[in-house]
Amino acid sequence: MKSSIYVFNLCGLFFIVVAIVYGFYTDFTELVGFPALLLVGLMAMMIGVYLWLTDRRVGRQPQDNEDAEISDADADYGMFSPWSWWPIASAAAAAVAFYGIAMGWWIFPFGVVLGIIALVGLTYEHDRGDFAH
């Protein structure tokens, strides 16, 4: 995590310096490049500061150890069902809802209803049938 902190803070500092230099070259009259470069620098600094604060709170991470193994960073990602069709139904419902936003608002409620059905099915798929616990 230490290297990520350095990369983001150095990139942020670089973009802020470039924004100031760019602003002086354009006499601060060009109102797209200067604010964009400044915001990119500030956002990179924001991520760097967040990582720094997280590193202070969490402590030493396996990626900071030179002798660490890949298995040292393994975490429990939860339980996933490889046989489940509900993620496809959720994606289809989201596609219908977004299509409704783009093409006609009368389609959007159908996507919302399909999304609710898919979400309930995804949530309760282990509570019935062969896979009930």
Side-chain angles (χ1 to χ4, degrees):
M1 189 177 295
K2 300 273 188 208
S3 59
S4 299
I5 296 168
Y6 295 136
V7 166
F8 277 108
N9 284 333
L10 286 176
C11 284
L13 187 63
F14 170 77
F15 280 113
I16 289 172
V17 169
V18 167
I20 293 170
V21 170
Y22 183 80
F24 279 115
Y25 272 120
T26 60
D27 293 327
F28 295 98
T29 57
E30 200 271 315
L31 296 177
V32 175
F34 171 70
L37 286 170
L38 191 63
L39 287 175
V40 166
L42 290 175
M43 287 182 196
M45 292 288 283
M46 182 178 67
I47 293 171
V49 168
Y50 169 76
L51 290 174
W52 175 66
L53 291 173
T54 303
D55 184 56
R56 278 189 357 181
R57 186 189 58 192
V58 173
R60 190 161 175 86
Q61 295 291 313
Q63 61 262 30
D64 294 330
N65 186 3
E66 295 289 331
D67 298 325
E69 297 289 329
I70 294 175
S71 61
D72 292 341
D74 283 347
D76 183 23
Y77 292 115
M79 188 182 91
F80 299 100
S81 305
W83 61 83
S84 178
W85 288 86
W86 288 110
I88 297 172
S90 299
V96 170
F98 289 129
Y99 179 78
I101 291 172
M103 298 305 291
W105 282 101
W106 65 273
I107 303 172
F108 180 73
F110 294 107
V112 170
V113 169
L114 290 173
I116 291 171
I117 292 169
L119 183 64
V120 169
L122 184 66
T123 304
Y124 291 111
E125 72 180 335
H126 293 288
D127 292 338
R128 57 190 158 86
D130 295 334
F131 309 110
H133 296 289

